[in-house]
Amino acid sequence: MLLLALLVLGTRPAQASHLLGGEMSYRYLDATGPAATPFRYEITLTLYSNGLYTNANPNGIAAPPVSAPIDIYNRTTGARIGSYNFNRTAPTPTNTNLPPPIAPPVPQGCAVSGPSQPFYLCKYVQTVNLPVSFDGYYAVYSVSARNNTLTNINNPSGGTGGNVPLTLYVSMAPPLIYNRSPVFSDTAVAIVCQNDTTITLNNAFDPDGDRLVYSFGTPYGFLSSNTTFPPLPQPVPYYPAYNAANPFGTGAGNFATINASTGIAKYGARNIGLYVVAVDVSEYRTINGVEVLIGTTRRDLQLVVSTCPPTTPPVLPTPVITPRNYTIEEGQSLSIPITATQASSNHPLVLTVNSALLDGSGPFNTTFNGSTGVVQAGNLTGTATATGNGSVSGTFIYNSACGQARTTPYDLGVTVKDNGCGGKLASDIFRVTVTRAAGPNAINGPATVCDPATVRTYTAAGPVPASYRWRITGGTITSGQGTNTVQVTWASANTTGTLSLKGVSTYGCLSDSVVKTVDIRPLPALTAVAAAPSICQGTSTTLTVTGVAGLTYTWTGGGINSTGTTVTVSPTATTTYTVTGTDGTCSITATVTVTVTPPPTANAGPDVVVCPSPVGAPGPTVQIGTAAVTGFTYSWSPATGLSSASVAQPTVTLPNTTGAPITQTYTLTVSSGPNCLSTDAVVVTVNPAAVADAGPARSTCSGVASAAIGTPALAGYTYSWSPATGLSSASVAQPTVTLPNTTGAPITQTY
């Protein structure tokens, strides 16, 4: 109850030990927590503790805290989600049988004067279940338990009460951004030699491969509020002449610089003491083509400035001799021999390489000096060492494997420490960039397929690997697998197909995938018809097309250019028309042929006049029309008196029982195809039967003109007498007869 009350009041009170600094990290686990708080995060707090402060023993080492209070805040609302009490996981859960504290060893006979700062490296690890937050969370640790014998930080209590505040926090990405924060590779407590340049590492490893940027920050003191976050904690109160940029003070010989890319820090201090420094490492990730800040991890540390014996520091080989940056392709091996020397000294040297690649029995096949590395509990990096006197050497060997490429390099934190009298060290960062196997970066070929049955060709573009690996969905690779060009037949049942390609390197590693999405949109067949597929020359017909909705059409052929669904055409010869339908991307065609037949010539022949048949006999017969033409059909109307109404030259037989001429008009229709015909007419006249009347027999005297013979003439008749002997005229209806008779008996003449 008392503890809870203290938590509510604000910054936690002084703990049972003095803190030299610390850092926080986290990793997202999964979403398998309770329904209200499904998102599980593992949070790690690291504290450097130099034990319980008492008036009787102000510099004594005592038990470090067995638990640590941590608050979680919603980064969207700023509201506190909950308070947690993390139990210590290292060096031991309790203070029973604690191992000795960590202290820089001083060789026998050496005199290193200055503050002594042995410490416990305490770890507090716990999994918490959190509710949804689209912007993420803050995990905050805040106590008034910082070491109160600091040179650059003011003690607000003005005494030895141990209530100098220390606040650590880590900004946690939301669950949608799967992330694990960077973890520092080495411990934070270090000795800086007075009036000398000391190089230390603040390098961190990011398991997600995010780009890391290192910088100095202002250490945090009192927590501004314990109910909302932000506001951010208040900066620590510096003594005059000290600040975050000048943690050792101003003036010549005091400096602090940090490499933003590697975290290598260089320190110089003129005065012995304990100094607080804060190092921030910010992680950046490219999301949707834009690099964004994922979060920042804070390291709060104390540096001990001591007087070191005048000893030349160890020297690592220059970058010209041993480069600091290496680039290999995944699957390739790398060997880096590293040798450090110390001039005019036979001191024992320890060459230490710290890297995530030295993961012991982990997936990386890496050794240094024959060791695969030792990974301490809770660390992401491992270490391996080599030793020597005056000179030390070791070879870093990395046999990379497929899948180990990443955009950010793997760092090797290399430290050479003089374990003899002097304690000098040299540090540097070696970087190994593992690139993805080179491979194609594009696929050339049609992105839209309108006729899936047609074989399509696709070709890889970009860097050329040793071989190629193609995969397809929605179609079939018919040939070319393993080469840079494949033949593909797409399935018409699909609307979308994908073709993916990876290169295969000489080391057997796959390059990044390049994917081409193909729009498969076969159009159903068009139907094109003619209202009259066969027409007579000089006439028209209508063409019509039907297809799926949304198409636009274009007609071509026979000199037309139309965009309607129907078109009227008047070809002069048999013509095939093409109609093309398109949806704007794909097109489909259909054809329709209109057969044109030349018009026939109908010839019924000349008009004819006939006489009737004798009484009792059929009428007179006459032939009408003209000779038949092959391919034509004939039709006469009416059929009266015709021998056939469907031949080219029928015969006509018509009686005439009247006394006057009769006429009959016959119409001939000649067809050379459907709707292709012509007509003509012929008139047949049948005159009435002629009536011959020579009159009564006559008697006359010789030499005396007789009366006329015959009967009066009829209109329209012609007359002919035979013989003409004695006649006044042989061609009139009533000639007169004059005949001599010189005999003694009567003579008779028949006309």
Side-chain angles (χ1 to χ4, degrees):
M1 295 288 288
L2 177 60
L3 175 62
L4 290 175
L6 290 173
L7 295 181
V8 172
L9 291 177
T11 303
R12 273 83 173 192
Q15 302 294 297
S17 63
H18 283 179
L19 301 181
L20 309 181
E23 57 221 34
M24 296 183 73
S25 62
Y26 77 94
R27 65 179 177 130
Y28 173 72
L29 298 178
D30 50 47
T32 61
T37 55
F39 303 112
R40 301 195 319 132
Y41 286 81
E42 181 186 84
I43 300 175
T44 298
L45 170 67
T46 300
L47 294 178
Y48 301 91
S49 171
N50 76 337
L52 175 66
Y53 178 90
T54 65
N55 290 331
N57 187 19
N59 294 313
I61 298 297
V66 296
S67 63
I70 292 181
D71 289 339
I72 307 293
Y73 296 85
N74 188 314
R75 209 162 73 178
T76 302
T77 64
R80 184 170 61 184
I81 295 173
S83 298
Y84 304 85
N85 203 42
F86 282 30
N87 293 322
R88 194 176 72 210
T89 56
T92 58
T94 67
N95 289 331
T96 303
N97 299 321
L98 275 173
I102 301 171
V106 179
Q108 185 176 1
C110 288
V112 177
S113 61
S116 176
Q117 194 163 258
F119 63 93
Y120 284 105
L121 181 62
C122 301
K123 297 279 188 179
Y124 305 83
V125 183
Q126 185 170 316
T127 298
V128 297
N129 298 322
L130 302 179
V132 64
S133 172
F134 295 107
D135 291 323
Y137 315 86
Y138 293 108
V140 183
Y141 169 79
S142 184
V143 294
S144 292
R146 192 190 291 272
N147 189 346
N148 63 351
T149 59
L150 299 170
T151 304
N152 59 347
I153 302 301
N154 186 15
N155 182 356
S157 66
T160 58
N163 62 347
V164 179
L166 168 68
T167 297
L168 303 172
Y169 81 90
V170 62
S171 178
M172 302 162 58
L176 292 176
I177 303 177
Y178 189 95
N179 189 55
R180 183 170 183 174
S181 62
V183 177
F184 287 97
S185 303
D186 62 338
T187 58
V189 179
I191 294 178
V192 175
C193 290
Q194 183 185 24
N195 296 321
D196 201 350
T197 297
T198 300
I199 300 175
T200 65
L201 296 179
N202 288 290
N203 185 257
F205 174 70
D206 189 276
D208 306 306
D210 297 325
R211 186 175 73 90
L212 302 182
V213 176
Y214 301 87
S215 61
F216 286 128
T218 301
Y220 290 126
F222 285 111
L223 188 64
S224 301
S225 170
N226 70 330
T227 57
T228 59
F229 193 94
L232 297 175
Q234 299 177 7
V236 294
Y238 283 99
Y239 282 118
Y242 297 96
N243 53 51
N246 300 284
F248 303 110
T250 58
N254 293 317
F255 59 86
T257 63
I258 190 168
N259 186 303
S261 176
T262 63
I264 296 176
K266 294 183 179 181
Y267 301 117
R270 295 169 53 192
N271 300 311
I272 294 174
L274 302 176
Y275 297 85
V276 173
V277 176
V279 175
D280 290 335
V281 54
S282 301
E283 54 178 327
Y284 292 86
R285 182 178 303 175
T286 300
I287 300 176
N288 296 327
V290 178
E291 189 176 60
V292 297
L293 177 65
I294 297 296
T296 300
T297 300
R298 158 64 57 87
R299 162 174 272 188
D300 191 303
L301 64 151
Q302 282 189 27
L303 299 177
V304 180
V305 178
S306 300
T307 300
C308 305
T311 304
T312 302
V315 176
L316 284 163
T318 66
V320 175
I321 298 173
T322 305
R324 298 305 191 260
N325 295 287
Y326 300 84
T327 299
I328 61 174
E329 184 180 296
E330 57 182 355
Q332 190 176 359
S333 295
L334 174 67
S335 178
I336 307 174
I338 304 174
T339 299
T341 59
Q342 190 175 37
S344 304
S345 168
N346 197 36
H347 289 183
L349 301 179
V350 178
L351 175 60
T352 302
V353 176
N354 183 286
S355 175
L357 297 175
L358 291 167
D359 59 352
S361 60
F364 293 110
N365 182 7
T366 307
T367 60
F368 176 70
N369 197 31
S371 171
T372 58
V374 177
V375 183
Q376 301 295 334
N379 282 3
L380 299 179
T381 59
T383 59
T385 61
T387 59
N389 292 326
S391 178
V392 61
S393 298
T395 301
F396 177 84
I397 299 175
Y398 172 35
N399 300 305
S400 69
C402 299
Q404 292 178 350
R406 59 183 238 166
T407 55
T408 54
Y410 294 96
D411 288 350
L412 314 180
V414 178
T415 302
V416 186
K417 185 174 182 182
D418 172 7
N419 275 347
C421 190
K424 297 293 183 68
L425 58 83
S427 299
D428 209 340
I429 295 294
F430 290 63
R431 301 198 130 165
V432 178
T433 300
V434 183
T435 61
R436 192 78 165 169
N441 53 26
I443 299 175
N444 293 330
T448 301
V449 173
C450 303
D451 49 345
T454 301
V455 176
R456 300 290 181 171
T457 300
Y458 293 88
T459 303
V464 179
S467 64
Y468 299 83
R469 182 177 298 178
W470 298 84
R471 294 186 61 187
I472 192 171
T473 57
T476 302
I477 297 176
T478 58
S479 65
Q481 182 63 270
T483 70
N484 71 328
T485 300
V486 290
Q487 306 295 318
V488 171
T489 300
W490 295 103
S492 58
N494 295 284
T495 57
T496 301
T498 56
L499 191 62
S500 61
L501 172 62
K502 291 184 178 182
V504 183
S505 72
T506 55
Y507 305 105
C509 298
L510 297 176
S511 68
D512 289 329
S513 291
V514 56
V515 177
K516 190 177 191 71
T517 300
V518 178
D519 184 7
I520 305 171
R521 49 168 73 181
L523 294 176
L526 300 178
T527 300
V529 296
S534 181
I535 64 172
C536 186
Q537 191 177 59
T539 61
S540 301
T541 187
T542 300
L543 310 181
T544 303
V545 62
T546 55
V548 295
L551 298 184
T552 57
Y553 298 97
T554 301
W555 292 88
T556 58
I560 67 167
N561 189 356
S562 176
T563 58
T565 56
T566 61
V567 59
T568 299
V569 295
S570 302
T572 58
T574 298
T575 303
T576 297
Y577 297 91
T578 299
V579 60
T580 301
T582 180
D583 59 4
T585 301
C586 290
S587 300
I588 190 168
T589 61
T591 60
V592 58
T593 299
V594 177
T595 302
V596 177
T597 303
T601 300
N603 187 356
D607 293 344
V608 295
V609 178
V610 297
C611 292
S613 300
V615 177
T621 298
V622 66
Q623 190 176 54
I624 57 176
T626 56
V629 176
T630 303
F632 288 3
T633 59
Y634 298 85
S635 176
W636 293 89
S637 178
T640 305
L642 298 181
S643 60
S644 173
S646 59
V647 297
Q649 290 180 295
T651 57
V652 180
T653 302
L654 285 176
N656 185 358
T657 59
T658 69
I662 61 173
T663 61
Q664 177 65 55
T665 300
Y666 291 95
T667 300
L668 171 63
T669 300
V670 180
S671 174
S672 59
N675 303 315
C676 191
L677 49 85
S678 65
T679 61
D680 193 21
V682 62
V683 177
V684 178
T685 300
V686 182
N687 286 327
V691 178
D693 187 358
R698 299 287 186 180
S699 292
T700 184
C701 290
S702 175
V704 179
S706 65
I709 59 176
T711 56
L714 296 177
Y717 277 48
T718 61
Y719 297 87
S720 177
W721 293 88
S722 178
T725 303
L727 295 181
S728 60
S729 173
S731 59
V732 297
Q734 289 182 299
T736 59
V737 179
T738 301
L739 285 176
N741 187 352
T742 61
T743 70
I747 59 175
T748 300
Q749 179 65 50
T750 299
Y751 291 96

